[in-house]
Structure formats: C-alpha cells, structure tokens
C-alpha cells in the first residue's frame, strides 16, 4: 500500500478512534471517520497483547496485505484504523481477508 494512502499522524489516529464509528470482529477492529480528501487512508496498529515485536510486525504486514487486496473496492474519502486483536497470528490469511471484507461491508465502505 502506497504511503499516501496511510494515516501516519498520531493525532489523526486518536481522532478516528474517539470520533469515528467502530466495528468489531474476533480478529480485528475497524474504526472509520470521514476525511476531506479525495482518497481513503489506512492506519494499522497492533498492541503488545498480540505478542512480541516480531509477532506484532508480522500481524501488521498481514493486515496491510489483506487490506491492500481489497483496496480498489473501498470508497474514497475515509480514514480507516485497523486494530489487531490477540490471536490474529494463528488465523489463516484467508480468514484475515474475510474479516477485513466483512468489516468493510458492515461499515458500508465497499463500492457497489
């Protein structure tokens, strides 16, 4: 995923988490908030509850790749924060992709 499609500002992360709408799955949490841009952006976070640094980095890479595979279907104009839950590294990649698609559908962010 290109850098221009990423949320990198800590203040924006906090704002999306506090003011945005959240949707939960057993593997992930998705928080979304409208932005005033013509593109959607994503941010990824993995807490220490998921595991040590190697496991957290692996989880972040897997989430990023699962979202990237669905990125063309996401409506523009949103900031999305993806939060990993414990147990994400034990899930298969297909389950992770399904979780991402289900959360995007639930948030009504997929193009028709």
């Amino acid at each position: 995923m290109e850098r221009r499609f990423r949320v990198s500002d800590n203040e924006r992360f906090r704002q999306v988490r506090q003011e945005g709408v959240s949707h939960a799955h057993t593997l992930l949490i998705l928080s979304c908030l409208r932005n005033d841009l013509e593109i959607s952006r994503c941010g990824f976070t993995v807490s220490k509850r998921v595991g040590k640094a190697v496991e957290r980095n692996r989880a972040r890479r897997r989430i990023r790749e699962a979202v990237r595979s669905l990125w063309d279907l996401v409506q523009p104009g949103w900031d999305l924060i993806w939060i990993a839950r414990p147990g994400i590294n034990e899930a298969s990649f297909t389950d992770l992709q399904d979780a991402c698609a289900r959360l995007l559908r639930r948030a009504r962010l997929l193009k028709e």
Side-chain angles (χ1 to χ4, degrees):
M1 181 172 293
E2 294 178 37
R3 291 222 180 257
R4 68 187 180 116
F5 295 123
R6 292 196 196 158
V7 176
S8 58
D9 183 28
N10 281 339
E11 184 59 36
R12 186 61 181 172
F13 260 85
R14 196 173 306 114
Q15 185 179 17
V16 173
R17 286 292 294 142
Q18 289 176 352
E19 298 174 18
V21 178
S22 293
H23 302 278
H25 186 272
T26 55
L27 299 175
L28 294 165
I29 297 172
L30 170 64
S31 291
C32 45
L33 183 64
R34 267 217 175 278
N35 64 26
D36 295 328
L37 306 173
E38 296 177 1
I39 60 170
S40 287
R41 302 181 300 178
C42 281
F44 304 93
T45 184
V46 182
S47 73
K48 289 186 178 182
R49 289 185 295 155
V50 171
K52 297 192 186 249
V54 172
E55 295 158 339
R56 292 194 308 268
N57 290 333
R58 181 172 186 259
R60 193 175 298 111
R61 286 192 308 269
R62 292 177 76 214
I63 297 168
R64 194 177 297 138
E65 181 60 26
V67 171
R68 190 190 65 76
S69 68
L70 298 166
W71 194 244
D72 294 336
L73 304 174
V74 175
Q75 292 181 8
W78 292 88
D79 282 342
L80 311 173
I81 303 298
W82 297 89
I83 303 164
R85 287 183 143 179
I88 193 166
N89 284 332
E90 287 77 33
S92 71
F93 186 72
T94 306
D95 292 340
L96 186 56
Q97 281 181 314
D98 291 342
C100 290
R102 181 171 290 158
L103 288 171
L104 287 169
R105 239 181 274 115
R106 198 179 304 161
R108 295 187 176 103
L109 294 177
L110 290 178
K111 294 177 186 173
E112 294 297 323

